[in-house]
Amino acid sequence: MTRITQKFEQLKAAGCKAFIPYITAGDPDLATTESLLLALAEAGADVIELGVPFSDPMADGPVIQRASERALKNPVGVAEVLPMVNRLRQHSIGRDVPIVLFTYFNPLMQFAKEDVGKKLKAAGIDGVLITDLIPEEAESFVAEMRAADIDNIFLIAPTSTDERIKLIAEHSSGFVYVVARTGVTGVRDNISITVNDLVGRVRQQTSLPVAVGFGISTPEQVREVCGYADAAVVGSRLVQEIENNIGSPNLVERVAQLARELKQAC
């Protein structure tokens, strides 16, 4: 049983929902990211999505695109991220929080001749979400990750048919990620009223926990999502808070305070 599955089972037994924050690795630098990971774990993050910066982030809105640009100037890639996650596992507060690597397929290509699953597992990664990997082309990759006891998380869009939802669910483990709206990531003023119905359709195809993300930015929106889903994912709002505080000695604490407020809404 993976750390992600254990976490969702613990939350379900306690009658709670999951708060899943996202940050971009290396934004504004790796040392700050490492401090942020520990702070998010201490703030109550149930699972953390750690984004790998990429030069062509087609699924990301302007806030996360700018974060990737800042990180790539360092530069930061998978090779730099894995040792950082491994160090996180040495801290008591970071030992048990599940980490999902949020990436595009290209950054993983540097490990094409290696056993990627074992390498990720040894570093302390619990799951992977590859935004541009479709289930029709994922058989060998999913098999490799499952052999390494790493969960595969796939995105389900508002436009997904029931047939496609079933296909995605069959390739998924850990949880499935429902995209709250079409388009790229980013802060939104409201959540589409169709998301609840989409979550219901997903539940007809799988017993995996359902997380909802893309556009969730306030405690009120987190509370709304947690009313019908198993987890709320918040990314752009936290990344925006990082951007707003670059150069401030209080950056980590301000992001952690926002995370605590979002977690309390679950």
Side-chain angles (χ1 to χ4, degrees):
M1 182 184 296
T2 65
R3 258 191 291 248
I4 294 173
T5 298
Q6 287 178 335
K7 173 57 69 172
F8 275 103
E9 288 192 355
Q10 290 167 1
L11 290 168
K12 184 177 181 180
C16 299
K17 301 299 179 70
F19 165 56
I20 305 179
Y22 165 98
I23 59 172
T24 301
D27 176 36
D29 53 67
L30 272 177
T32 302
T33 299
E34 194 165 340
S35 297
L36 283 167
L37 288 172
L38 288 167
L40 289 172
E42 193 167 17
D46 297 296
V47 179
I48 297 175
E49 285 186 357
L50 184 59
V52 176
F54 185 49
S55 57
D56 187 23
M58 59 185 179
D60 296 315
V63 172
I64 294 179
Q65 284 184 18
R66 291 195 299 270
S68 286
E69 290 169 2
R70 290 190 294 269
L72 288 171
K73 289 177 181 178
N74 290 325
V76 172
V78 178
E80 289 73 34
V81 169
L82 297 188
M84 178 182 63
V85 173
N86 189 254
R87 289 193 298 273
L88 174 73
R89 296 305 185 199
Q90 311 309 312
H91 294 268
S92 59
I93 192 65
R95 188 171 296 139
D96 297 323
V97 60
I99 302 288
V100 173
L101 200 66
F102 190 107
T103 184
Y104 294 83
F105 199 71
N106 187 273
L108 291 176
M109 290 301 292
Q110 62 182 296
F111 303 112
K113 295 182 180 180
E114 303 178 39
D115 192 326
V116 182
K118 288 183 178 179
K119 197 171 187 69
L120 296 178
K121 188 67 176 181
I125 298 295
D126 302 291
V128 288
L129 194 166
I130 302 177
T131 57
D132 55 350
L133 180 65
I134 59 175
E136 291 89 344
E137 300 175 356
E139 293 290 346
S140 60
F141 184 83
V142 167
E144 182 177 355
M145 293 301 107
R146 286 180 175 170
D149 203 28
I150 291 178
D151 285 318
N152 297 272
I153 294 98
F154 285 88
L155 300 172
I156 293 177
T159 54
S160 297
T161 63
D162 289 343
E163 182 180 8
R164 182 155 189 81
I165 290 171
K166 181 179 180 181
L167 177 65
I168 292 171
E170 289 171 349
H171 287 77
S172 300
S173 59
F175 64 93
V176 292
Y177 189 137
V178 167
V179 176
R181 61 177 63 239
T182 55
V184 297
T185 61
V187 174
R188 299 289 191 274
D189 292 332
N190 53 65
I191 301 171
S192 172
I193 59 174
T194 63
V195 179
N196 192 348
D197 293 337
L198 178 56
V199 170
R201 288 171 53 211
V202 172
R203 292 199 190 283
Q204 292 177 2
Q205 304 293 342
T206 181
S207 60
L208 288 172
V210 180
V212 174
F214 278 49
I216 300 170
S217 58
T218 67
E220 292 75 21
Q221 290 173 346
V222 169
R223 189 174 298 111
E224 178 183 344
V225 164
C226 287
Y228 50 79
D230 302 296
V233 184
V234 180
S236 292
R237 178 64 187 89
L238 288 163
V239 175
Q240 186 177 68
E241 191 70 13
I242 293 170
E243 183 177 60
N244 292 345
N245 287 281
I246 291 176
S248 168
N250 299 318
L251 184 154
V252 173
E253 175 50 38
R254 287 174 178 168
V255 174
Q257 177 56 38
L258 174 59
R260 284 190 288 270
E261 293 171 3
L262 294 165
K263 168 61 180 175
Q264 290 169 3
C266 285

